[in-house]
Amino acid sequence: MTSLLTLEGLTKAYPGVVANDDVSFEIAPGEVHALLGENGAGKSTLVKMIYGLVKPDKGKMTLNGAVFEPAEPRAARAAGVAMVFQHFSLFDALSVAENIALGMENPPKMGDLAARIREVSETYGLPLDPDKVVGDLSAGERQRVEIIRCLLQDPRLLIMDEPTSVLTPQEVEILFKTLRQLSAEGTAILYISHKLEEIRSLCDGATVLRLGKVVGRCNPREKSASELAEMMVGSALTPPSRASTDFGEVVLEVSNLSIPSPNPFGTSLKDVSLTLRAGEILGIGGVAGNGQDELLAALSGEALAPRGAVTLHGNDISQMGPTPRRHIAVLAAPEERLGHAAAPDMSLIENAFLTGADREDLHKNGFVKWPAARAFAEKIIEGFDVRTPGPHNAARSLSGGNLQKFVIGREVLQRPEVLVVNQPTWGVDASAAAAIRQSIIDLAQNGTAVIVISQDLDELMEISDNFAALNEGRLSRPRPAQGLSIEEIGLMMGGAHDMEVAHVEA
Amino acid sequence: MDLSAINPLVLIASLMVAATPILLAAIGELVVEKAGVLNLGVEGMMITGAICGFAIAVETGSPALGFIASMIGAALLSLIFGFLTQVLMSNQVATGLALTLFGLGLSALLGQGYVGIKPPATHDINFGFLTEIPVIGPILFTHDIIVYASLALIAATWAVLKFTRVGLILRAVGENHDAAHALGYKVVRIRILAIMFGGACAGLGGAYLSLVRVPQWTEGMTAGAGWIALALVVFASWKPLRVLVGAYLFGGITVLQLNLQAAGVAIPVEYLSMSPYLITILVLVIMSSDRSRAALNAPASLGRVFHASS
């Protein structure tokens, strides 16, 4: 078997970190090759080198027997390498056709392009209207835009960076059919993910990266998920555990909540109802952009709800802003760490003060009690194993996982009665994620009512008592998480969003 | 008071002249903002263009060379802004304000020897018999080349932004610079070119003030026209044709209130003088009052600093 792409000894160092250290592997035509590793293992840097966005310090790439040194993405595309990005590569205000034209070297006239988009989307079962504005599309549809953008260039190597993080299980199934068909046509696929089951069902070969180094190669079909996880993490993981599930009385009640989204491309909440009892963890799943941010805003008080829509112990709190809600122990940790949950350029002490001021008694007569704020920040750092030189460091200087531990710890330590968290372990490595999940479970154990909004279904199944899904701003009826099948969850999340299976015979 | 002295045909013809400086500055700034850069230095670039154009026109005796010089001068000034904000990644708002102050000071210095001089005249284009057509003739065919150039520029900007690949790339850079970078577009280079285009347009607008509209040089003669151009772009929801409407509205009311002043209307002069600013902003605010639709048109990366590393 001759290889399509060969990497030999690729090395890339950034100040302070070696992102890739002597990485070598090869991909054959038609092979689906997995690049497996935790966040920060160097997967993204590696594919950026292949796509010409980053220049390697050392090492050699060969494509089809010729030396391959793309100076820019344009050169990589010309050589037949296409990439579907995890985020950041679509333009909300532009139409589907315009977005696709931007990713092509010599796009045809807009009219012809629209026809070709329709044709390709038919062939691969990815229906798409070329005239629609991308900002109005669902996450799954946006991904179709990216995939079709790649397919229109007849790539020989398709790189997919975490493609399924935004899809429902049904949509994942259809995506896999498309990918298998492409691979049967001879297109090689480099598939990046940390979802082990997916890799086992899709990929022919896998290269495992840890801290920038290749730590293993295997045929994922011959390994179990836990063996793969161990290769990836380097040690066995203990899943979070939970002693009992006794719920108290109803704490938080949301009834028929409808709020228009402040963002032109956001999703309005439509008739959302839920009840939350003390000690209960309610997991809310759903594809990103289906109202998660809006729901968090309505519960945290950032967006005021119509009177009577949100009640705590029967008292109406709909019209309270975030600070009064914090005062009565309704706390929240939003998804975006830098800029929403924490102020990036302020120190950890200041960030601890910003949400803890009231409940931790960190101010008096309008003056900040700095020693107390510092002590609170240190308590979080110690209690949640936040790796940082000290509390005076800026929030921006922490790695994603450490900052997330800080953000969650800050709320947990304020003894909340209701805690709402959005994407608590997004972009966090496995051991930190396990610690965060355990702290959420412990909190519920002590009688706090918790809502966990997440796109990671495995996480939700692991920690939640009840599960509901957001789909286009509507919340499904919560059901006990125990015993829910993945198909049922997928249907709750809105099923396949009218995708079809590929029409071409492989 | 004698309102009959106001001739509507002359009024319309002269409003086009009055509107041309801000029209030029605004269309330049529109392109800059569509590329995602907020340049608050329009006023400074206009006045620098005004003195560069004036000085060169006086020295060479050729208004055409003056107009070219005004574009080069203001484009060079905008290049300072481009270098600071795009290469050194300084704050765009602060840098833009500094550019305005710098431009006002620099122009005053350059203009020391030019106060009270009359520049060479810029002649209207001779359309021959077309000028004789009743109504349309005096309105459309009695202007100099810059007026027509400004109209052509509006049409060209509209067409380029809407139909061409260059326009699409420009909008893409302004919409999401990270994505544009990931696709391999040179964000910084595209933005610097847009900034220089904006500078050249503002400079031409300034020179039109000093060479045609006034025509002489006085310190600070742009008198806030650059700021009006900036406001125009925002309230026109970044649409070239609305910029045209807004600029002509502003020009029209300016000319009308001057006529009313001359006719001796019993309204205090101060109110009449402020009316163009007030009414233009008011009309544009109403036009762009649908906030969610206006937000759709606003370049999403406007004013944000771009780091190529991410």
Side-chain angles (χ1 to χ4, degrees):
Chain A
M1 193 161 67
T2 53
S3 75
L4 172 74
L5 176 74
T6 312
L7 309 184
E8 286 171 74
L10 278 192
T11 301
K12 174 78 196 176
Y14 289 111
V17 276
V18 180
N20 283 139
D21 188 1
D22 195 22
V23 174
S24 309
F25 65 86
E26 48 187 68
I27 306 172
E31 179 187 354
V32 185
H33 193 93
L35 200 53
L36 193 59
E38 291 210 84
N39 290 292
K43 294 169 296 181
S44 294
T45 310
L46 187 63
V47 294
K48 278 184 184 165
M49 288 195 277
I50 302 174
Y51 196 58
L53 276 166
V54 173
K55 268 206 184 69
D57 297 336
K58 259 199 303 214
K60 205 174 107 192
M61 292 189 273
T62 327
L63 187 72
N64 258 355
V67 174
F68 178 56
E69 285 171 334
E72 52 176 359
R74 217 165 278 209
R77 285 201 293 263
V81 177
M83 178 157 168
V84 174
F85 293 88
Q86 189 179 5
H87 15 234
F88 304 137
S89 92
L90 289 180
F91 306 91
D92 279 353
L94 305 184
S95 76
V96 169
E98 287 174 326
N99 265 284
I100 288 174
L102 279 167
M104 296 176 74
E105 275 328 295
N106 297 302
K109 283 216 179 83
M110 276 300 170
D112 303 343
L113 182 61
R116 282 201 59 198
I117 291 170
R118 284 212 175 83
E119 184 191 320
V120 172
S121 68
E122 269 295 291
T123 317
Y124 289 96
L126 306 165
L128 206 53
D129 179 356
D131 300 323
K132 265 201 168 170
V133 174
V134 164
D136 296 334
L137 301 181
S138 75
E141 286 173 311
R142 282 161 186 247
Q143 192 183 47
R144 277 178 235 170
V145 179
E146 295 234 25
I147 295 174
I148 287 173
R149 175 155 78 186
C150 292
L151 294 184
L152 278 173
Q153 323 205 52
D154 299 320
R156 284 182 290 173
L157 174 66
L158 180 62
I159 305 173
M160 304 204 79
D161 192 356
E162 305 258 348
T164 58
S165 54
V166 295
L167 302 182
T168 66
Q170 277 82 355
E171 287 172 329
V172 169
E173 218 20 71
I174 291 164
L175 172 69
F176 281 10
K177 286 215 169 87
T178 306
L179 293 183
R180 284 193 192 109
Q181 186 200 328
L182 278 171
S183 125
E185 288 170 1
T187 310
I189 295 166
L190 182 58
Y191 189 89
I192 301 170
S193 183
H194 58 254
K195 296 193 178 170
L196 306 167
E197 286 303 335
E198 284 178 2
I199 285 174
R200 291 189 59 229
S201 78
L202 182 73
C203 301
D204 310 314
T207 300
V208 186
L209 286 180
R210 192 189 325 141
L211 300 174
K213 287 198 177 77
V214 175
V215 292
R217 286 168 229 279
C218 63
N219 182 342
R221 299 207 170 114
E222 295 164 358
K223 300 270 179 188
S224 73
S226 59
E227 279 172 316
L228 288 175
E230 238 178 276
M231 284 173 85
M232 189 166 95
V233 182
S235 62
L237 282 173
T238 41
S241 61
R242 171 142 211 209
S244 67
T245 47
D246 290 330
F247 302 144
E249 56 175 302
V250 171
V251 180
L252 184 78
E253 191 157 12
V254 177
S255 45
N256 307 100
L257 170 68
S258 299
I259 304 184
S261 174
N263 177 338
F265 295 124
T267 308
S268 304
L269 292 179
K270 299 171 195 98
D271 205 19
V272 170
S273 299
L274 61 90
T275 56
L276 194 63
R277 288 160 295 175
E280 176 183 351
I281 301 179
L282 173 64
I284 296 184
V287 173
N290 272 300
Q292 284 90 342
D293 294 343
E294 288 76 8
L295 180 62
L296 180 111
L299 294 175
S300 72
E302 277 175 68
L304 298 184
R307 264 174 221 293
V310 183
T311 56
L312 182 78
H313 294 304
N315 303 320
D316 186 9
I317 61 167
S318 314
Q319 294 283 311
M320 283 184 178
T323 312
R325 285 199 203 187
R326 287 189 175 281
H327 194 72
I328 54 168
V330 178
L331 307 183
E335 169 185 4
E336 176 65 40
R337 284 187 284 268
L338 289 172
H340 197 175
D345 290 318
M346 295 178 93
S347 73
L348 294 179
I349 299 178
E350 287 163 322
N351 272 298
F353 175 83
L354 284 174
T355 79
D358 208 36
R359 292 192 61 75
E360 293 298 311
D361 194 25
L362 304 179
H363 63 137
K364 192 177 181 186
N365 302 329
F367 288 94
V368 180
K369 293 195 213 161
W370 286 117
R374 188 192 164 115
F376 180 49
E378 280 168 349
K379 196 167 133 196
I380 302 168
I381 292 170
E382 207 182 291
F384 285 81
D385 188 28
V386 180
R387 313 267 166 85
T388 171
H392 285 287
N393 279 58
R396 192 191 284 290
S397 70
L398 270 64
S399 75
N402 276 314
L403 185 56
Q404 188 68 31
K405 283 195 272 186
F406 181 85
V407 166
I408 299 282
R410 181 178 66 181
E411 307 307 323
V412 167
L413 286 181
Q414 291 179 46
R415 297 160 276 107
E417 193 163 358
V418 175
L419 177 65
V420 186
V421 290
N422 190 4
Q423 297 272 63
T425 61
W426 184 77
V428 171
D429 62 66
S431 53
I436 289 170
R437 287 175 198 151
Q438 188 62 55
S439 71
I440 291 172
I441 291 177
D442 293 345
L443 193 66
Q445 208 72 43
N446 294 329
T448 301
V450 185
I451 294 180
V452 179
I453 304 172
S454 177
Q455 279 147 53
D456 186 342
L457 290 177
D458 299 335
E459 167 174 276
L460 291 176
M461 288 304 105
E462 202 170 289
I463 64 174
S464 40
D465 303 309
N466 289 307
F467 176 86
L470 267 173
N471 182 24
E472 291 174 5
R474 292 193 175 78
L475 189 71
S476 71
R477 199 171 46 78
R479 296 169 62 175
Q482 207 108 95
L484 271 183
S485 73
I486 205 82
E487 281 70 34
E488 286 173 298
I489 293 168
L491 289 175
M492 286 167 87
M493 286 163 68
H497 290 113
D498 62 63
M499 279 170 72
E500 306 162 47
V501 181
H503 292 310
V504 170
E505 288 85 48
Chain B
M1 187 169 84
D2 182 15
L3 288 179
S4 62
I6 301 174
N7 179 344
L9 294 186
V10 175
L11 190 78
I12 294 174
S14 52
L15 85 81
M16 292 173 72
V17 172
T20 298
I22 55 167
L23 182 62
L24 283 165
I27 196 69
E29 178 67 10
L30 182 139
V31 170
V32 177
E33 292 192 12
K34 269 290 179 193
V37 179
L38 182 64
N39 184 354
L40 294 182
V42 182
E43 179 85 1
M45 299 187 299
M46 268 185 102
I47 194 127
T48 306
I51 185 58
C52 287
F54 190 86
I56 297 297
V58 168
E59 300 300 336
T60 62
S62 156
L65 283 179
F67 284 122
I68 292 169
S70 73
M71 290 164 70
I72 295 172
L76 285 177
L77 189 71
S78 71
L79 194 58
I80 299 177
F81 174 85
F83 180 72
L84 288 173
T85 57
Q86 301 307 307
V87 181
L88 303 182
M89 297 182 199
S90 67
N91 179 295
Q92 294 181 4
V93 171
T95 313
L97 290 173
L99 193 74
T100 288
L101 295 175
F102 177 61
L104 287 169
L106 181 71
S107 63
L109 179 71
L110 293 174
Q112 289 281 329
Y114 294 96
V115 179
I117 298 179
K118 229 178 129 47
T122 309
H123 297 289
D124 295 346
I125 296 177
N126 185 4
F127 284 99
F129 71 93
L130 287 176
T131 321
E132 311 298 322
I133 304 171
V135 185
I136 297 173
I139 292 177
L140 288 185
F141 299 110
T142 57
H143 298 294
D144 54 80
I145 186 156
I146 304 293
V147 171
Y148 301 112
S150 70
L151 289 171
L153 198 60
I154 289 277
T157 306
W158 171 77
V160 166
L161 284 177
K162 196 169 166 72
F163 297 115
T164 69
R165 183 156 175 85
V166 174
L168 179 59
I169 293 172
L170 187 88
R171 282 187 289 143
V173 166
E175 178 61 26
N176 184 345
H177 48 217
D178 294 319
H181 175 69
L183 290 175
Y185 294 107
K186 304 266 182 255
V187 175
V188 169
R189 189 186 302 166
I190 292 164
R191 286 190 168 164
I192 286 185
L193 289 175
I195 289 168
M196 289 181 70
F197 175 80
C201 287
L204 188 62
Y208 193 78
L209 266 181
S210 63
L211 290 177
V212 180
R213 169 109 168 84
V214 174
Q216 59 172 303
W217 166 253
T218 46
E219 243 183 79
M221 67 182 298
T222 45
W227 296 111
I228 279 290
L230 267 168
L232 213 58
V233 175
V234 176
F235 291 122
S237 312
W238 294 270
K239 289 183 179 154
L241 299 183
R242 285 202 191 179
V243 165
L244 179 71
V245 171
Y248 276 18
L249 182 72
F250 179 79
I253 297 165
T254 307
V255 174
L256 182 67
Q257 64 94 5
L258 285 174
N259 277 299
L260 288 177
Q261 279 187 33
V265 174
I267 302 173
V269 175
E270 289 78 7
Y271 287 111
L272 286 174
S273 307
M274 77 165 84
S275 62
Y277 299 89
L278 219 57
I279 294 173
T280 306
I281 296 293
L282 207 67
V283 168
L284 289 169
V285 165
I286 293 167
M287 268 162 66
S288 63
S289 60
D290 187 347
R291 271 192 54 221
S292 57
R293 291 202 44 208
L296 277 181
N297 235 326
S301 290
L302 185 59
R304 279 173 42 210
V305 172
F306 169 67
H307 287 273
S309 58
S310 53

